[in-house]
Amino acid sequence: SSGINAEWPLRPGEIFCRIHQRIEIDMLADNLNMEPAEAEKWVVNMIRLAHLDAKIDSKNGYVVMGGTSVPVYQKLIDKTKDLHLKANSCCQKIDKKLTLGI
């Protein structure tokens, strides 16, 4: 089956996994229109690409999320904290070029 791989981006799956502590693979497979083994492979790929702290309990059929991830808002703050300095530097360079007529 073509399943959800081509149709459903990893981002919603990542968000779903970050919200829930434990996800049943069979339930996920039903929602993704996949066989459980295919859904498990999809989850493995998503965990790898999204750098999630998660483990798959194949014996019991669950994805178990770790609780030590950095909150999304903190990631945003970390990635943008020097943005104003970079923007100011760019503005100064543009202003200098305009002043010199380059």
Side-chain angles (χ1 to χ4, degrees):
S1 77
S2 66
I4 205 77
N5 289 326
E7 301 164 17
W8 201 49
L10 292 175
R11 197 54 136 172
E14 176 188 348
I15 292 168
F16 184 83
C17 287
R18 288 185 190 275
I19 292 171
H20 298 86
Q21 291 290 0
R22 190 174 85 167
I23 304 158
E24 189 176 341
I25 292 174
D26 287 340
M27 181 272 305
L28 194 59
D30 287 341
N31 288 324
L32 297 174
N33 194 26
M34 296 179 175
E35 294 297 319
E38 187 180 7
E40 188 172 335
K41 288 178 187 176
W42 184 84
V43 168
V44 168
N45 188 43
M46 183 196 55
I47 290 168
R48 188 172 8 100
L49 292 174
H51 305 289
L52 296 175
D53 178 19
K55 293 180 177 131
I56 297 179
D57 181 354
S58 295
K59 181 180 176 186
N60 295 315
Y62 288 102
V63 178
V64 181
M65 300 302 299
T68 60
S69 64
V70 177
V72 174
Y73 67 87
Q74 185 61 46
K75 287 182 183 180
L76 180 65
I77 290 169
D78 292 344
K79 289 199 182 255
T80 60
K81 80 174 149 180
D82 294 328
L83 193 57
H84 70 284
L85 296 174
K86 292 176 185 176
N88 191 27
S89 175
C90 286
C91 287
Q92 288 176 353
K93 288 177 183 177
I94 290 170
D95 191 37
K96 183 177 178 180
K97 287 188 180 206
L98 289 174
T99 303
L100 296 176
I102 298 176

